[in-house]
Each structure stands twice: as structure tokens, then as C-alpha cells.
Amino acid sequence: MIKRVSRKKLDVNKYTECLNKSVNYRIYAEVFYLDALVDNNWDCYVLNDYEAIMPLPFVKKFGFKFIVQPIYCQQLGVFHQENFSKETFLLFEKKLHRNLVRAYAFNEENTEIFEPKGIKRVNQILDLQQEIQLDNKTKKNIKSFINKKVELKSNHNLEEIVNFKKANTNHRVDVNKLTTLAKVLLKNNKIKIDSCYQNNELIAFSIFVKSKKRIIYLNSSANHFAKKLSAPTGLIYHQIKKNDEFQYLDFEGSEISSINHFFKGFGATEKFYINYKNL
């Protein structure tokens, strides 16, 4: 009933149709998205004739496959249509458990409905169809940003963005992987990049990814000067205000309290997803 299919033998059309019809769609599971992140190193559990799918990114070491959640890919899990039974979900989950799993993240809907085993992680979602409830600090930062009258524009100059990211981050991030992903997203018209300039010099940017009803806050960077101007807050607020097609802004959450609090300042509410590992 559930078979494991390699990326090479995957029926891409049937897989994509299943994903698009699912009640829990995530762009993370798109074929082009996963291919960009893991160089085609993923399999998939498939129910019957692509009635439900569960993508499995992996790395190979010592002749073994280890399931690993890639960077820039927050949630995967089982993608299915309505009236999907818990019994069938458990079959997928048991099959996952037979693998060597360093990390695998089930999506929010899987977590809420089926309660898979693992550690609960926080995500933060803002409903863009409701009145936005900003806290006082966020309001103050937005007002400060607007008063500085910096230049805001859409920017798809990936070379400029990547070089800026390299120069202004202390975090260990896979910038090369981000570059590859951004190029693929741009090709598929699934990316928005808002940039902030002063005196024609890039000082901050934010990358957003289109995921049907969601727009995902994927990555950002700001230099020291931009942080003083509250540019990170201003760029998010700019995206919220100009929104005319998305229902939710997905912040991707954070276990870091200061970042968590920053997202809550926009009125985001917490959602949870499960991270499973057996290693």
C-alpha cells in the first residue's frame, strides 16, 4: 500500500498533483525546491497511486542513508487530501521510524491532527486577513523607520544580496545553498526580495517565499546602521501592508527567545510542528 520511490523513479506529475491538492501544502515539498536543497538526494513514501506522499531527504555516509531535514526547509511530513485516516498516517510514521533519522519535521497539520512522536517545535503565523495587533515596541520601531525615509524596492540582484549576506552575518549559514535556492525560486516566480537602501547603498534585505496561501519569511540580513534604523521591522511591515494575495505570513518561528519575541511584536500566534529523530 505504501511504497518507497527513489527521486529518479518518481512520477513528478503525479507527485506534484498530489501535493497541490493536499490540505497541508508546503512549498518545501515541491520537487524543484527539494532538488535545489539536496541535489536530488531524496526518496518518497507513496500511498497507492500517489494518494498521499511523504518526501524523505537524506545524506549518505558509510553506505547508509540518514534522513536529515535540510536547511531552509522547515516542515515536510505526510501530504494528503481530506478524510485521511489516522491509521494510514501511522503506517507512514512507522515506516519513517525504521530509517536512521537525524531529523525529520512533520508539518503543523500533521502535528495537530495526528500527534506524531518527536519533539514539539514552535512556529509563528500572522493572519493577514485580520487586523494586525502590533505591540508598542514594534509600533515605535516602524514609526522610526518610516521617518528615516530610506528607499525601499524589490530587488532580484542575487549577487548583490549574497555578497551583502556574506559581509553582514556572524551566523553559520549555508550561503551557497541559499543562493542556489533563490535562483530556483526566482525561476519559478516563488520569491519576493525587499531591500532597503540609503544613498544608493544596500543596508538590509528580506527574502519571502510564496507558498500558496502563505508567504514565508525565509531569510534576511541588515548591517549595523540598518539595525539602528529598525530596518528589519520596517521591511516586514512593508510586506504586510502591501499584501494583496496571501492569507498568512509564516515567520518560521524560533527557539531563540529574542527572535520569538520580535515576531510576536507583529501579533503572530504560535503553531507547532514535530521534529522526530532516533539518532
Side-chain angles (χ1 to χ4, degrees):
M1 187 162 66
I2 298 175
K3 58 184 178 292
R4 184 165 181 155
V5 180
S6 69
R7 169 64 183 92
K8 186 177 181 180
K9 295 182 179 179
L10 191 74
D11 188 320
V12 173
N13 291 331
K14 288 184 178 181
Y15 174 96
T16 301
E17 183 181 10
C18 177
L19 178 63
N20 282 322
K21 288 182 176 179
S22 68
V23 296
N24 50 347
Y25 173 89
R26 293 291 190 281
I27 193 172
Y28 307 121
E30 288 278 10
V31 170
F32 67 81
Y33 198 102
L34 285 171
D35 283 352
L37 289 182
V38 297
D39 300 321
N40 298 351
N41 289 322
W42 58 284
D43 296 332
C44 185
Y45 284 135
V46 176
L47 175 64
N48 297 328
D49 191 22
Y50 290 83
E51 293 172 20
I53 52 174
M54 185 182 191
L56 303 168
F58 63 81
V59 294
K60 269 188 177 180
K61 284 192 175 182
F62 314 115
F64 294 97
K65 285 183 177 180
F66 296 84
I67 306 299
V68 178
Q69 193 78 16
I71 188 172
Y72 305 121
C73 180
Q74 190 194 55
Q75 301 175 32
L76 289 173
V78 182
F79 296 93
H80 59 85
Q81 296 184 43
E82 291 188 34
N83 303 317
F84 188 72
S85 71
K86 186 163 187 176
E87 290 74 19
T88 307
F89 179 85
L90 286 172
L91 293 176
F92 276 97
E93 188 178 12
K94 287 177 181 178
K95 282 185 173 291
L96 174 69
H97 292 177
R98 294 178 190 145
N99 292 271
L100 300 171
V101 185
R102 287 182 177 171
Y104 189 81
F106 289 92
N107 56 68
E108 294 157 26
E109 291 85 348
N110 286 173
T111 300
E112 183 176 347
I113 299 170
F114 303 116
E115 300 179 329
K117 294 179 180 178
I119 299 171
K120 192 174 282 189
R121 295 283 176 83
V122 67
N123 192 19
Q124 286 163 301
I125 304 292
L126 181 64
D127 189 338
L128 299 172
Q129 304 304 312
Q130 303 294 324
E131 184 177 352
I132 307 301
Q133 301 294 327
L134 305 171
D135 69 10
N136 290 333
K137 183 178 180 181
T138 304
K139 288 180 183 177
K140 181 180 177 181
N141 288 341
I142 290 170
K143 185 176 180 180
S144 172
F145 177 75
I146 292 172
N147 288 339
K148 298 300 181 183
K149 297 181 179 179
V150 295
E151 182 185 5
L152 291 175
K153 63 182 181 180
S154 178
N155 180 7
H156 290 150
N157 184 340
L158 296 182
E159 184 178 359
E160 180 184 33
I161 294 296
V162 170
N163 288 337
F164 182 84
K165 179 74 178 179
K166 288 178 179 178
N168 291 281
T169 183
N170 293 320
H171 300 290
R172 187 178 178 183
V173 294
D174 191 333
V175 179
N176 291 333
K177 194 68 71 177
L178 178 63
T179 306
T180 301
L181 178 60
K183 287 178 179 178
V184 171
L185 291 169
L186 185 59
K187 180 180 178 181
N188 287 274
N189 191 31
K190 296 295 184 181
I191 193 171
K192 292 188 174 199
I193 305 177
D194 290 336
S195 296
C196 180
Y197 289 81
Q198 188 146 61
N199 299 324
N200 294 318
E201 181 181 349
L202 178 63
I203 61 172
F205 73 82
S206 293
I207 297 176
F208 300 88
V209 178
K210 305 174 189 177
S211 182
K212 287 200 173 178
K213 293 181 179 180
R214 295 186 180 215
I215 184 164
I216 300 169
Y217 184 53
L218 185 74
N219 201 273
S220 66
S221 186
N223 63 22
H224 183 67
F225 178 69
K227 290 175 183 177
K228 285 185 175 181
L229 298 181
S230 301
T233 303
L235 285 169
I236 293 173
Y237 184 69
H238 174 67
Q239 185 60 233
I240 292 171
K241 293 299 290 183
K242 73 176 184 179
N243 171 66
D244 59 0
E245 59 178 310
F246 302 102
Q247 185 172 354
Y248 302 105
L249 171 56
D250 184 337
F251 285 105
E252 288 200 329
S254 178
E255 301 296 320
I256 301 171
S257 59
S258 59
I259 299 176
N260 188 294
H261 185 73
F262 173 68
F263 295 150
K264 282 184 177 179
F266 291 92
T269 57
E270 290 186 340
K271 296 285 185 179
F272 297 94
Y273 64 98
I274 289 294
N275 186 61
Y276 172 78
K277 60 181 179 179
N278 57 22
L279 292 176

PDB file of all heavy atoms in Angstrom, residues 19 25 35 117 126 143 178 202 219 262:
ATOM      1  N   LEU A  19       0.578  16.881  -4.186  1.00  0.00           N
ATOM      2  CA  LEU A  19       0.978  17.968  -3.294  1.00  0.00           C
ATOM      3  C   LEU A  19       0.048  19.161  -3.441  1.00  0.00           C
ATOM      4  O   LEU A  19      -0.396  19.748  -2.444  1.00  0.00           O
ATOM      5  CB  LEU A  19       2.423  18.370  -3.581  1.00  0.00           C
ATOM      6  CG  LEU A  19       2.986  19.535  -2.766  1.00  0.00           C
ATOM      7  CD1 LEU A  19       3.024  19.175  -1.279  1.00  0.00           C
ATOM      8  CD2 LEU A  19       4.378  19.903  -3.264  1.00  0.00           C
ATOM      9  N   TYR A  25      -0.513  21.841   2.019  1.00  0.00           N
ATOM     10  CA  TYR A  25       0.542  22.179   1.058  1.00  0.00           C
ATOM     11  C   TYR A  25       1.649  23.011   1.698  1.00  0.00           C
ATOM     12  O   TYR A  25       1.402  23.918   2.483  1.00  0.00           O
ATOM     13  CB  TYR A  25      -0.050  22.977  -0.112  1.00  0.00           C
ATOM     14  CG  TYR A  25       0.995  23.504  -1.075  1.00  0.00           C
ATOM     15  CD1 TYR A  25       1.425  22.745  -2.151  1.00  0.00           C
ATOM     16  CD2 TYR A  25       1.565  24.764  -0.891  1.00  0.00           C
ATOM     17  CE1 TYR A  25       2.390  23.217  -3.038  1.00  0.00           C
ATOM     18  CE2 TYR A  25       2.531  25.250  -1.764  1.00  0.00           C
ATOM     19  CZ  TYR A  25       2.936  24.474  -2.828  1.00  0.00           C
ATOM     20  OH  TYR A  25       3.901  24.953  -3.690  1.00  0.00           O
ATOM     21  N   ASP A  35      14.999  19.426  -4.853  1.00  0.00           N
ATOM     22  CA  ASP A  35      16.141  19.179  -5.738  1.00  0.00           C
ATOM     23  C   ASP A  35      17.227  20.235  -5.516  1.00  0.00           C
ATOM     24  O   ASP A  35      18.424  19.921  -5.513  1.00  0.00           O
ATOM     25  CB  ASP A  35      15.703  19.215  -7.205  1.00  0.00           C
ATOM     26  CG  ASP A  35      14.985  17.940  -7.640  1.00  0.00           C
ATOM     27  OD1 ASP A  35      14.952  16.975  -6.852  1.00  0.00           O
ATOM     28  OD2 ASP A  35      14.466  17.914  -8.772  1.00  0.00           O
ATOM     29  N   LYS A 117       5.181  11.158  16.956  1.00  0.00           N
ATOM     30  CA  LYS A 117       6.194  11.147  18.005  1.00  0.00           C
ATOM     31  C   LYS A 117       7.329  12.112  17.653  1.00  0.00           C
ATOM     32  O   LYS A 117       7.687  12.267  16.488  1.00  0.00           O
ATOM     33  CB  LYS A 117       6.752   9.741  18.184  1.00  0.00           C
ATOM     34  CG  LYS A 117       5.730   8.743  18.705  1.00  0.00           C
ATOM     35  CD  LYS A 117       6.342   7.357  18.830  1.00  0.00           C
ATOM     36  CE  LYS A 117       5.303   6.359  19.347  1.00  0.00           C
ATOM     37  NZ  LYS A 117       5.857   4.988  19.439  1.00  0.00           N
ATOM     38  N   LEU A 126       1.127  34.799  11.223  1.00  0.00           N
ATOM     39  CA  LEU A 126       0.333  36.021  11.304  1.00  0.00           C
ATOM     40  C   LEU A 126      -0.794  35.936  10.289  1.00  0.00           C
ATOM     41  O   LEU A 126      -0.541  35.750   9.092  1.00  0.00           O
ATOM     42  CB  LEU A 126       1.209  37.246  11.026  1.00  0.00           C
ATOM     43  CG  LEU A 126       0.530  38.610  11.102  1.00  0.00           C
ATOM     44  CD1 LEU A 126       0.042  38.892  12.525  1.00  0.00           C
ATOM     45  CD2 LEU A 126       1.480  39.715  10.642  1.00  0.00           C
ATOM     46  N   LYS A 143       7.485  53.418  13.196  1.00  0.00           N
ATOM     47  CA  LYS A 143       7.414  54.881  13.067  1.00  0.00           C
ATOM     48  C   LYS A 143       8.805  55.466  12.853  1.00  0.00           C
ATOM     49  O   LYS A 143       9.002  56.348  12.005  1.00  0.00           O
ATOM     50  CB  LYS A 143       6.782  55.479  14.319  1.00  0.00           C
ATOM     51  CG  LYS A 143       6.562  56.979  14.235  1.00  0.00           C
ATOM     52  CD  LYS A 143       5.852  57.500  15.479  1.00  0.00           C
ATOM     53  CE  LYS A 143       5.635  59.009  15.375  1.00  0.00           C
ATOM     54  NZ  LYS A 143       4.935  59.544  16.577  1.00  0.00           N
ATOM     55  N   LEU A 178      21.651  28.898  -0.022  1.00  0.00           N
ATOM     56  CA  LEU A 178      20.653  29.961  -0.149  1.00  0.00           C
ATOM     57  C   LEU A 178      20.663  30.536  -1.565  1.00  0.00           C
ATOM     58  O   LEU A 178      19.610  30.811  -2.144  1.00  0.00           O
ATOM     59  CB  LEU A 178      20.927  31.061   0.873  1.00  0.00           C
ATOM     60  CG  LEU A 178      19.988  32.268   0.839  1.00  0.00           C
ATOM     61  CD1 LEU A 178      18.556  31.857   1.162  1.00  0.00           C
ATOM     62  CD2 LEU A 178      20.456  33.339   1.831  1.00  0.00           C
ATOM     63  N   LEU A 202      22.962  49.354  -0.405  1.00  0.00           N
ATOM     64  CA  LEU A 202      22.135  48.340   0.242  1.00  0.00           C
ATOM     65  C   LEU A 202      22.493  48.251   1.721  1.00  0.00           C
ATOM     66  O   LEU A 202      23.656  48.091   2.080  1.00  0.00           O
ATOM     67  CB  LEU A 202      22.361  46.982  -0.425  1.00  0.00           C
ATOM     68  CG  LEU A 202      21.608  45.775   0.160  1.00  0.00           C
ATOM     69  CD1 LEU A 202      20.102  45.943   0.020  1.00  0.00           C
ATOM     70  CD2 LEU A 202      22.061  44.478  -0.519  1.00  0.00           C
ATOM     71  N   ASN A 219      14.550  34.471   4.995  1.00  0.00           N
ATOM     72  CA  ASN A 219      15.898  34.900   5.359  1.00  0.00           C
ATOM     73  C   ASN A 219      15.973  36.416   5.312  1.00  0.00           C
ATOM     74  O   ASN A 219      15.159  37.071   4.648  1.00  0.00           O
ATOM     75  CB  ASN A 219      16.920  34.290   4.386  1.00  0.00           C
ATOM     76  CG  ASN A 219      18.316  34.267   4.960  1.00  0.00           C
ATOM     77  OD1 ASN A 219      19.073  35.215   4.846  1.00  0.00           O
ATOM     78  ND2 ASN A 219      18.673  33.152   5.594  1.00  0.00           N
ATOM     79  N   PHE A 262      10.393  39.091  18.947  1.00  0.00           N
ATOM     80  CA  PHE A 262      10.348  40.015  17.814  1.00  0.00           C
ATOM     81  C   PHE A 262       9.164  39.697  16.910  1.00  0.00           C
ATOM     82  O   PHE A 262       8.413  40.589  16.502  1.00  0.00           O
ATOM     83  CB  PHE A 262      11.663  39.924  17.040  1.00  0.00           C
ATOM     84  CG  PHE A 262      11.697  40.693  15.754  1.00  0.00           C
ATOM     85  CD1 PHE A 262      11.673  42.083  15.746  1.00  0.00           C
ATOM     86  CD2 PHE A 262      11.755  40.031  14.532  1.00  0.00           C
ATOM     87  CE1 PHE A 262      11.709  42.799  14.553  1.00  0.00           C
ATOM     88  CE2 PHE A 262      11.788  40.733  13.343  1.00  0.00           C
ATOM     89  CZ  PHE A 262      11.769  42.123  13.353  1.00  0.00           C
TER      90      PHE A 262
END
